[in-house]
Amino acid sequence: MCLALLVILLHCSSLKAREVFTINKVEIRADPSLQVPNGDALTILCIADISKSGNFMIEHHFTFFKDGRILSDITSLQNRTEYKIPAARFADTGEYVCMVKAKEKKKKSEVMLVKVTGLPKPKLTALKNMVTEGEELVLKCEVPEEAPPLTFTFQKLLTPGGPVTRTKKELEKNFTTIEIPVEPGDKILRFQCIASVYSAHGMQESAPSDVELVTVVEPFSTPALVIEPSLNVTEGDNVKLVCRVVVRNYDIEIIIQKDKVILNSTRGQNTLTYFTKVSMQDNGNYTCKVELGSVSKEKTVNMVVTELFSKPELIHSAKMIDEGDWLQLQCKVKGLLPVTKISIKTRYLGKDNLLNDSSSFITKAHVNNTATYICTAEINGIIKESDPVKINVYAPVSIPQLWIVPSVRDVILGRAIRFQCQSMYGTPPITYKFFRGNKTVNSSQIFNKLPAEFRDKPTEVGVEQYSCEASNHHSHIRKRSRELNITVIAPVGKVNLISVPKREVEDGKGISFRCYVETGSLPINFKLLKQNNRKPISEDTKMDTEVIWYKETWSKQDSGEYFCEASNPTNIVQRSDVISINVILASWQKVLIALFVLVIIVILGCGGCCWYLWKKRKAKHPSIEMSGSAGVTNSAGVKLEPRQNSDGQYYPGYMDDSENHMKATDENKGPEHEITEVEYTEVEVSTPDPHRAPVQKGTEPVYSEIRKANNDSGENRYSSTDSW
C-alpha cells in the first residue's frame, strides 16, 4: 500500500514539472469602435493568446493603461477581460495599452488610440437676476460631465459694438466664474457661454449654452451740494459743506473733494458733511461725488473766499551781499486785524529753522549766512508764509595764478596754447577773464573750485604777454594775475634755391647757390643736399634768412639734382624745389671738336667733287655714230622716209648699212650709259630731184640730234634735222 502511494506522488510531481506555457500575443480592442460620440458607452477588451503544454489553469493579471497611467488591474483565470466606461467623455480620449502577466511572464499589447468626439452643452448661471449700475455681476459656466482642463468663453450679447467676449481657462475644475461690471445705461443683460477643450489628440468645442437674462436698476439719484452759511465767505470763517443723495438701500460711497484733493467721504449713508476754517487756498470749486462700483454721479459748486490779510512779504537788503556787510531782513504784513504771531526762519531741504520771533533780523554777513529765508504771520488762526528769498554771501577772490599746460618755454606761431587760471579763495561762481596784452580773449564762469581753462593761437612772432582776472559777485574786488610772457617763434616758410649760372656750368668752372626763406624766426639752419644723398654738401646756421655757397671747380660727376633744407628752433624742416645742374664741355673743348669735325667735312667734300668730275668726263668720251640720215622733205613739204627721193621713190640698199652701223654701236654701249644725252652737229645734205629739175648744189645747216638710250630699252638711236 505504501509503495502504491509513493508511485502516485512521484507521478504527480513529474506532471507538475511539465506545466510549460508561453504568451504568444496580447490584443486590445475598443467596443463599439475607436471613435465614440460623447456620452456613449465604451468597452476596452484585452485578450491574451497563450500556448500551454497541458490542460492546466493559469492565473492572469490584466493591467489597463491610458496615456501611460494605470486605469485598472484585473485578475482572472480567463484569457480575456474588459474595462467598461458607461459614458465616454473627451477626457477618455487617449492611447490605451493592455498588459498581461502570468507567473513570471508578461507581455503588452500594441497601442490603441481612442477618440471621443464632441462636448456636452455647458450650463450658464447668473448669481443675481437683478443688479444695479456699477455692480459686479457674477456668472458661472460649468460642464459637470467633463474633466479639466477646460476653457470657458463668456459672451455679452446685444451690445452696440457686437458681443463682448471674455475667456478663462481652468486647469483643475470643470467650471469657472467671472465678474462682469454692470455699466451705467445697461437695462437688460444677455449672456451665454461656450466650453472647449484642448489636448495632444485635438480640440473639441461645445454648442453655446442657453441665454441668461439679468435686469439692471438705477442705484441712486444725482447728489445735491450745499455750502453754509453761503457761497461767499471771509478768510477765517467756519464753513460747512453738505452733500445729500437719494438711494435705494445700497452701500454707496459719498466723496467731497476740492480739485483732486479728497476732503471727506462716507459709505452706506445718504448724507455727507465737511467742516473747515477757510483760507485763501480754499477759494475754488468743490465737488460732491457719489459712487457705487463703476457708477459715478457728481455735483460741483464754487466758493469765493475774501482775503483777511495778505501774504507776508520778506524785505531784504540785497540778495548778494559782500562778506562783512550787514544782512537785514524785515517781515511786513498788510491786514485789517493785528498780527497774532510773526517769525523769520531759514529753510534747508524742506526743514525750517527759527531765527527770530519778531518782524526783523540783522547780523554781520558771513559766508555761512548763505541760505533761503522765509517769514510767517498768523491772524485769527490763519497762518501765511512769505515767498522764499535766497540770499548769497560772497567772500572776495584771491589773486589768480596763470600757467601753461604743459609748461613750455617757446611756442610755435599758429599753434594753440592751453592756459589755466585759478583763484584759490573766493565764493563761487567765479568769473575768469583771459587777456592777451590788454585785449580780452575769452571768459569763463566756474561754479566750483576747479581752474578755468583757456586756449589761444598767437598771431605775431615775438614776446606775447598773457594775464587773467578773477571776480565773483563781491561788489568791489577784482584781482588780476601777474603777466605771463610767452616767446612766439615762427617756423620757416617757403624755401627757395637758385644757382648762378642756371642749370648749366662749364667743366672746370665754378657755380654759386643761393638758398633763402621767405619767413621764419632766427637762427635758421641751411643745408645743401644732392638728390639720393642724405649727407649735406654744405651746412650753415645763420642769423639771416639766406645763405650763399660757392664751389670753384665742377666736373661731369657733379651733374645731378640739388635741393636746400631749412629749419629753426621749431624743428620744422622745409625743403626747396629740386633744381637740375648739368656740367657741359668747356669752350676750348668745343672749338677743338668743331675744328676736327670741319676737317672731316672738307676731306669728304673734296673726295666727292673728284668722283663727280671723273664720272662726268667718262660719260662724254664714248664713240657716237649716226644711226640714220636726217629726214628731208620734198618740194611739197612732205617728210621723206629713208631711201626715198624727193619724189617719194626709194633708193635701194640705203638703210641697210645705216641700220647695221646703229646696231653695232648699240652693242658696244656699256651699262654706264644709262642717261640719255642730246648732242648737235652740223652736216651737209644734198637734195637732188632728177625727175623735175636739175640737181642744185649747196649746203644748208642741219642740226643732228643724237640720243643715247639704255641698252635694256630696245630702242634704236635716231637723228633728226631741223631746217632753219
Side-chain angles (χ1 to χ4, degrees), residues 85-111:
I85 303 174
R89 302 301 178 187
F90 184 82
D92 297 320
T93 297
E95 294 178 342
Y96 289 82
V97 175
C98 174
M99 185 179 71
V100 176
K101 184 177 180 182
K103 295 184 179 180
E104 73 282 358
K105 297 182 180 182
K106 59 183 177 180
K107 199 175 193 69
K108 283 187 178 181
S109 69
E110 293 182 354
V111 176

PDB file of all heavy atoms in Angstrom, residues 85-111:
ATOM      1  N   ILE A  85     -16.495  51.801 -19.679  1.00  0.00           N
ATOM      2  CA  ILE A  85     -16.725  53.234 -19.429  1.00  0.00           C
ATOM      3  C   ILE A  85     -18.183  53.482 -19.784  1.00  0.00           C
ATOM      4  O   ILE A  85     -18.559  53.464 -20.977  1.00  0.00           O
ATOM      5  CB  ILE A  85     -15.798  54.118 -20.274  1.00  0.00           C
ATOM      6  CG1 ILE A  85     -14.330  53.768 -19.998  1.00  0.00           C
ATOM      7  CG2 ILE A  85     -16.062  55.584 -20.016  1.00  0.00           C
ATOM      8  CD1 ILE A  85     -13.347  54.496 -20.894  1.00  0.00           C
ATOM      9  N   PRO A  86     -19.071  53.688 -18.801  1.00  0.00           N
ATOM     10  CA  PRO A  86     -20.514  53.807 -19.096  1.00  0.00           C
ATOM     11  C   PRO A  86     -20.832  54.977 -20.030  1.00  0.00           C
ATOM     12  O   PRO A  86     -21.642  54.826 -20.937  1.00  0.00           O
ATOM     13  CB  PRO A  86     -21.145  53.995 -17.713  1.00  0.00           C
ATOM     14  CG  PRO A  86     -20.129  53.462 -16.749  1.00  0.00           C
ATOM     15  CD  PRO A  86     -18.796  53.711 -17.356  1.00  0.00           C
ATOM     16  N   ALA A  87     -20.231  56.140 -19.783  1.00  0.00           N
ATOM     17  CA  ALA A  87     -20.475  57.322 -20.646  1.00  0.00           C
ATOM     18  C   ALA A  87     -19.115  57.948 -20.959  1.00  0.00           C
ATOM     19  O   ALA A  87     -18.478  58.546 -20.087  1.00  0.00           O
ATOM     20  CB  ALA A  87     -21.387  58.315 -19.951  1.00  0.00           C
ATOM     21  N   ALA A  88     -18.693  57.787 -22.189  1.00  0.00           N
ATOM     22  CA  ALA A  88     -17.366  58.281 -22.597  1.00  0.00           C
ATOM     23  C   ALA A  88     -17.373  59.802 -22.699  1.00  0.00           C
ATOM     24  O   ALA A  88     -18.318  60.403 -23.229  1.00  0.00           O
ATOM     25  CB  ALA A  88     -16.961  57.658 -23.930  1.00  0.00           C
ATOM     26  N   ARG A  89     -16.330  60.396 -22.180  1.00  0.00           N
ATOM     27  CA  ARG A  89     -16.157  61.847 -22.261  1.00  0.00           C
ATOM     28  C   ARG A  89     -14.844  62.155 -22.989  1.00  0.00           C
ATOM     29  O   ARG A  89     -14.044  61.262 -23.266  1.00  0.00           O
ATOM     30  CB  ARG A  89     -16.153  62.462 -20.854  1.00  0.00           C
ATOM     31  CG  ARG A  89     -17.402  62.189 -20.059  1.00  0.00           C
ATOM     32  CD  ARG A  89     -18.648  62.714 -20.756  1.00  0.00           C
ATOM     33  NE  ARG A  89     -19.871  62.403 -20.022  1.00  0.00           N
ATOM     34  CZ  ARG A  89     -21.089  62.638 -20.480  1.00  0.00           C
ATOM     35  NH1 ARG A  89     -21.228  63.189 -21.699  1.00  0.00           N
ATOM     36  NH2 ARG A  89     -22.152  62.337 -19.758  1.00  0.00           N
ATOM     37  N   PHE A  90     -14.682  63.466 -23.279  1.00  0.00           N
ATOM     38  CA  PHE A  90     -13.470  63.838 -24.019  1.00  0.00           C
ATOM     39  C   PHE A  90     -12.214  63.464 -23.230  1.00  0.00           C
ATOM     40  O   PHE A  90     -11.172  63.160 -23.808  1.00  0.00           O
ATOM     41  CB  PHE A  90     -13.463  65.335 -24.320  1.00  0.00           C
ATOM     42  CG  PHE A  90     -12.300  65.762 -25.154  1.00  0.00           C
ATOM     43  CD1 PHE A  90     -12.318  65.614 -26.536  1.00  0.00           C
ATOM     44  CD2 PHE A  90     -11.152  66.294 -24.569  1.00  0.00           C
ATOM     45  CE1 PHE A  90     -11.236  65.991 -27.302  1.00  0.00           C
ATOM     46  CE2 PHE A  90     -10.072  66.676 -25.331  1.00  0.00           C
ATOM     47  CZ  PHE A  90     -10.106  66.521 -26.713  1.00  0.00           C
ATOM     48  N   ALA A  91     -12.328  63.471 -21.904  1.00  0.00           N
ATOM     49  CA  ALA A  91     -11.178  63.099 -21.078  1.00  0.00           C
ATOM     50  C   ALA A  91     -10.762  61.661 -21.306  1.00  0.00           C
ATOM     51  O   ALA A  91      -9.632  61.265 -20.978  1.00  0.00           O
ATOM     52  CB  ALA A  91     -11.498  63.329 -19.604  1.00  0.00           C
ATOM     53  N   ASP A  92     -11.685  60.823 -21.860  1.00  0.00           N
ATOM     54  CA  ASP A  92     -11.355  59.431 -22.125  1.00  0.00           C
ATOM     55  C   ASP A  92     -10.605  59.262 -23.440  1.00  0.00           C
ATOM     56  O   ASP A  92     -10.198  58.137 -23.775  1.00  0.00           O
ATOM     57  CB  ASP A  92     -12.637  58.583 -22.148  1.00  0.00           C
ATOM     58  CG  ASP A  92     -13.332  58.584 -20.791  1.00  0.00           C
ATOM     59  OD1 ASP A  92     -12.622  58.519 -19.768  1.00  0.00           O
ATOM     60  OD2 ASP A  92     -14.568  58.671 -20.761  1.00  0.00           O
ATOM     61  N   THR A  93     -10.448  60.318 -24.202  1.00  0.00           N
ATOM     62  CA  THR A  93      -9.654  60.248 -25.426  1.00  0.00           C
ATOM     63  C   THR A  93      -8.198  60.014 -25.054  1.00  0.00           C
ATOM     64  O   THR A  93      -7.647  60.683 -24.166  1.00  0.00           O
ATOM     65  CB  THR A  93      -9.790  61.545 -26.232  1.00  0.00           C
ATOM     66  OG1 THR A  93     -11.153  61.694 -26.622  1.00  0.00           O
ATOM     67  CG2 THR A  93      -8.910  61.516 -27.469  1.00  0.00           C
ATOM     68  N   GLY A  94      -7.544  59.042 -25.715  1.00  0.00           N
ATOM     69  CA  GLY A  94      -6.150  58.793 -25.413  1.00  0.00           C
ATOM     70  C   GLY A  94      -5.660  57.484 -25.983  1.00  0.00           C
ATOM     71  O   GLY A  94      -6.358  56.793 -26.741  1.00  0.00           O
ATOM     72  N   GLU A  95      -4.454  57.118 -25.611  1.00  0.00           N
ATOM     73  CA  GLU A  95      -3.803  55.900 -26.084  1.00  0.00           C
ATOM     74  C   GLU A  95      -3.905  54.833 -24.990  1.00  0.00           C
ATOM     75  O   GLU A  95      -3.444  55.045 -23.847  1.00  0.00           O
ATOM     76  CB  GLU A  95      -2.335  56.176 -26.427  1.00  0.00           C
ATOM     77  CG  GLU A  95      -2.164  57.118 -27.602  1.00  0.00           C
ATOM     78  CD  GLU A  95      -0.704  57.413 -27.895  1.00  0.00           C
ATOM     79  OE1 GLU A  95       0.136  57.173 -27.001  1.00  0.00           O
ATOM     80  OE2 GLU A  95      -0.408  57.894 -29.010  1.00  0.00           O
ATOM     81  N   TYR A  96      -4.498  53.696 -25.354  1.00  0.00           N
ATOM     82  CA  TYR A  96      -4.750  52.609 -24.405  1.00  0.00           C
ATOM     83  C   TYR A  96      -3.793  51.451 -24.696  1.00  0.00           C
ATOM     84  O   TYR A  96      -3.507  51.130 -25.866  1.00  0.00           O
ATOM     85  CB  TYR A  96      -6.194  52.130 -24.504  1.00  0.00           C
ATOM     86  CG  TYR A  96      -7.193  53.110 -23.959  1.00  0.00           C
ATOM     87  CD1 TYR A  96      -7.645  54.178 -24.736  1.00  0.00           C
ATOM     88  CD2 TYR A  96      -7.682  52.985 -22.661  1.00  0.00           C
ATOM     89  CE1 TYR A  96      -8.563  55.086 -24.246  1.00  0.00           C
ATOM     90  CE2 TYR A  96      -8.611  53.886 -22.159  1.00  0.00           C
ATOM     91  CZ  TYR A  96      -9.044  54.938 -22.954  1.00  0.00           C
ATOM     92  OH  TYR A  96      -9.951  55.832 -22.454  1.00  0.00           O
ATOM     93  N   VAL A  97      -3.346  50.797 -23.602  1.00  0.00           N
ATOM     94  CA  VAL A  97      -2.462  49.634 -23.690  1.00  0.00           C
ATOM     95  C   VAL A  97      -2.907  48.630 -22.627  1.00  0.00           C
ATOM     96  O   VAL A  97      -3.281  49.022 -21.501  1.00  0.00           O
ATOM     97  CB  VAL A  97      -0.983  50.021 -23.487  1.00  0.00           C
ATOM     98  CG1 VAL A  97      -0.102  48.770 -23.451  1.00  0.00           C
ATOM     99  CG2 VAL A  97      -0.518  50.953 -24.583  1.00  0.00           C
ATOM    100  N   CYS A  98      -2.851  47.337 -22.970  1.00  0.00           N
ATOM    101  CA  CYS A  98      -3.182  46.276 -22.019  1.00  0.00           C
ATOM    102  C   CYS A  98      -1.945  45.398 -21.811  1.00  0.00           C
ATOM    103  O   CYS A  98      -1.266  45.031 -22.785  1.00  0.00           O
ATOM    104  CB  CYS A  98      -4.341  45.426 -22.542  1.00  0.00           C
ATOM    105  SG  CYS A  98      -4.704  43.991 -21.499  1.00  0.00           S
ATOM    106  N   MET A  99      -1.655  45.061 -20.556  1.00  0.00           N
ATOM    107  CA  MET A  99      -0.521  44.190 -20.236  1.00  0.00           C
ATOM    108  C   MET A  99      -1.037  42.957 -19.493  1.00  0.00           C
ATOM    109  O   MET A  99      -1.848  43.076 -18.555  1.00  0.00           O
ATOM    110  CB  MET A  99       0.506  44.922 -19.367  1.00  0.00           C
ATOM    111  CG  MET A  99       1.763  44.097 -19.108  1.00  0.00           C
ATOM    112  SD  MET A  99       2.971  44.981 -18.101  1.00  0.00           S
ATOM    113  CE  MET A  99       2.141  44.975 -16.512  1.00  0.00           C
ATOM    114  N   VAL A 100      -0.564  41.790 -19.933  1.00  0.00           N
ATOM    115  CA  VAL A 100      -0.958  40.519 -19.302  1.00  0.00           C
ATOM    116  C   VAL A 100       0.279  39.926 -18.640  1.00  0.00           C
ATOM    117  O   VAL A 100       1.348  39.832 -19.259  1.00  0.00           O
ATOM    118  CB  VAL A 100      -1.530  39.537 -20.344  1.00  0.00           C
ATOM    119  CG1 VAL A 100      -1.845  38.191 -19.692  1.00  0.00           C
ATOM    120  CG2 VAL A 100      -2.780  40.121 -20.977  1.00  0.00           C
ATOM    121  N   LYS A 101       0.106  39.473 -17.386  1.00  0.00           N
ATOM    122  CA  LYS A 101       1.189  38.874 -16.628  1.00  0.00           C
ATOM    123  C   LYS A 101       0.712  37.524 -16.088  1.00  0.00           C
ATOM    124  O   LYS A 101      -0.344  37.439 -15.452  1.00  0.00           O
ATOM    125  CB  LYS A 101       1.611  39.782 -15.482  1.00  0.00           C
ATOM    126  CG  LYS A 101       2.797  39.251 -14.701  1.00  0.00           C
ATOM    127  CD  LYS A 101       3.211  40.242 -13.607  1.00  0.00           C
ATOM    128  CE  LYS A 101       4.387  39.712 -12.817  1.00  0.00           C
ATOM    129  NZ  LYS A 101       4.766  40.645 -11.708  1.00  0.00           N
ATOM    130  N   ALA A 102       1.473  36.485 -16.365  1.00  0.00           N
ATOM    131  CA  ALA A 102       1.183  35.140 -15.857  1.00  0.00           C
ATOM    132  C   ALA A 102       2.463  34.587 -15.252  1.00  0.00           C
ATOM    133  O   ALA A 102       3.467  34.411 -15.960  1.00  0.00           O
ATOM    134  CB  ALA A 102       0.672  34.230 -16.977  1.00  0.00           C
ATOM    135  N   LYS A 103       2.385  34.319 -13.964  1.00  0.00           N
ATOM    136  CA  LYS A 103       3.581  33.924 -13.224  1.00  0.00           C
ATOM    137  C   LYS A 103       4.688  34.954 -13.472  1.00  0.00           C
ATOM    138  O   LYS A 103       4.486  36.136 -13.268  1.00  0.00           O
ATOM    139  CB  LYS A 103       3.983  32.493 -13.582  1.00  0.00           C
ATOM    140  CG  LYS A 103       2.946  31.451 -13.152  1.00  0.00           C
ATOM    141  CD  LYS A 103       3.411  30.035 -13.425  1.00  0.00           C
ATOM    142  CE  LYS A 103       2.357  29.040 -12.954  1.00  0.00           C
ATOM    143  NZ  LYS A 103       2.760  27.641 -13.201  1.00  0.00           N
ATOM    144  N   GLU A 104       5.856  34.460 -13.959  1.00  0.00           N
ATOM    145  CA  GLU A 104       6.961  35.396 -14.148  1.00  0.00           C
ATOM    146  C   GLU A 104       6.978  35.997 -15.548  1.00  0.00           C
ATOM    147  O   GLU A 104       7.846  36.788 -15.879  1.00  0.00           O
ATOM    148  CB  GLU A 104       8.301  34.693 -13.876  1.00  0.00           C
ATOM    149  CG  GLU A 104       8.756  33.702 -14.944  1.00  0.00           C
ATOM    150  CD  GLU A 104       8.043  32.369 -14.858  1.00  0.00           C
ATOM    151  OE1 GLU A 104       7.203  32.231 -13.913  1.00  0.00           O
ATOM    152  OE2 GLU A 104       8.311  31.490 -15.652  1.00  0.00           O
ATOM    153  N   LYS A 105       6.000  35.634 -16.384  1.00  0.00           N
ATOM    154  CA  LYS A 105       5.982  36.108 -17.762  1.00  0.00           C
ATOM    155  C   LYS A 105       4.936  37.206 -17.925  1.00  0.00           C
ATOM    156  O   LYS A 105       3.865  37.147 -17.307  1.00  0.00           O
ATOM    157  CB  LYS A 105       5.683  34.951 -18.719  1.00  0.00           C
ATOM    158  CG  LYS A 105       6.751  33.867 -18.696  1.00  0.00           C
ATOM    159  CD  LYS A 105       6.437  32.769 -19.694  1.00  0.00           C
ATOM    160  CE  LYS A 105       7.523  31.691 -19.655  1.00  0.00           C
ATOM    161  NZ  LYS A 105       7.262  30.623 -20.648  1.00  0.00           N
ATOM    162  N   LYS A 106       5.264  38.196 -18.811  1.00  0.00           N
ATOM    163  CA  LYS A 106       4.312  39.277 -19.090  1.00  0.00           C
ATOM    164  C   LYS A 106       4.538  39.786 -20.506  1.00  0.00           C
ATOM    165  O   LYS A 106       5.617  39.678 -21.077  1.00  0.00           O
ATOM    166  CB  LYS A 106       4.440  40.417 -18.085  1.00  0.00           C
ATOM    167  CG  LYS A 106       5.794  41.068 -18.037  1.00  0.00           C
ATOM    168  CD  LYS A 106       5.809  42.145 -16.952  1.00  0.00           C
ATOM    169  CE  LYS A 106       7.197  42.772 -16.843  1.00  0.00           C
ATOM    170  NZ  LYS A 106       7.239  43.805 -15.794  1.00  0.00           N
ATOM    171  N   LYS A 107       3.462  40.389 -21.051  1.00  0.00           N
ATOM    172  CA  LYS A 107       3.518  40.902 -22.414  1.00  0.00           C
ATOM    173  C   LYS A 107       2.490  42.017 -22.569  1.00  0.00           C
ATOM    174  O   LYS A 107       1.413  41.963 -21.961  1.00  0.00           O
ATOM    175  CB  LYS A 107       3.256  39.778 -23.412  1.00  0.00           C
ATOM    176  CG  LYS A 107       3.725  40.072 -24.828  1.00  0.00           C
ATOM    177  CD  LYS A 107       3.520  38.845 -25.707  1.00  0.00           C
ATOM    178  CE  LYS A 107       4.256  38.976 -27.023  1.00  0.00           C
ATOM    179  NZ  LYS A 107       5.706  38.929 -26.854  1.00  0.00           N
ATOM    180  N   LYS A 108       2.838  43.013 -23.415  1.00  0.00           N
ATOM    181  CA  LYS A 108       1.948  44.156 -23.640  1.00  0.00           C
ATOM    182  C   LYS A 108       1.362  44.101 -25.035  1.00  0.00           C
ATOM    183  O   LYS A 108       1.968  43.576 -25.974  1.00  0.00           O
ATOM    184  CB  LYS A 108       2.701  45.480 -23.483  1.00  0.00           C
ATOM    185  CG  LYS A 108       2.969  45.891 -22.066  1.00  0.00           C
ATOM    186  CD  LYS A 108       3.573  47.289 -22.020  1.00  0.00           C
ATOM    187  CE  LYS A 108       3.797  47.747 -20.589  1.00  0.00           C
ATOM    188  NZ  LYS A 108       4.359  49.120 -20.526  1.00  0.00           N
ATOM    189  N   SER A 109       0.173  44.699 -25.138  1.00  0.00           N
ATOM    190  CA  SER A 109      -0.463  44.828 -26.452  1.00  0.00           C
ATOM    191  C   SER A 109       0.108  46.043 -27.186  1.00  0.00           C
ATOM    192  O   SER A 109       0.889  46.823 -26.636  1.00  0.00           O
ATOM    193  CB  SER A 109      -1.975  44.995 -26.285  1.00  0.00           C
ATOM    194  OG  SER A 109      -2.254  46.265 -25.702  1.00  0.00           O
ATOM    195  N   GLU A 110      -0.322  46.171 -28.416  1.00  0.00           N
ATOM    196  CA  GLU A 110       0.019  47.381 -29.158  1.00  0.00           C
ATOM    197  C   GLU A 110      -0.804  48.557 -28.636  1.00  0.00           C
ATOM    198  O   GLU A 110      -1.837  48.375 -27.987  1.00  0.00           O
ATOM    199  CB  GLU A 110      -0.239  47.172 -30.653  1.00  0.00           C
ATOM    200  CG  GLU A 110       0.683  46.149 -31.286  1.00  0.00           C
ATOM    201  CD  GLU A 110       0.420  46.014 -32.770  1.00  0.00           C
ATOM    202  OE1 GLU A 110      -0.552  46.626 -33.253  1.00  0.00           O
ATOM    203  OE2 GLU A 110       1.187  45.292 -33.444  1.00  0.00           O
ATOM    204  N   VAL A 111      -0.376  49.786 -28.980  1.00  0.00           N
ATOM    205  CA  VAL A 111      -1.072  50.991 -28.535  1.00  0.00           C
ATOM    206  C   VAL A 111      -2.326  51.178 -29.377  1.00  0.00           C
ATOM    207  O   VAL A 111      -2.286  51.074 -30.616  1.00  0.00           O
ATOM    208  CB  VAL A 111      -0.158  52.229 -28.643  1.00  0.00           C
ATOM    209  CG1 VAL A 111      -0.928  53.482 -28.262  1.00  0.00           C
ATOM    210  CG2 VAL A 111       1.065  52.055 -27.751  1.00  0.00           C
TER     211      VAL A 111
END
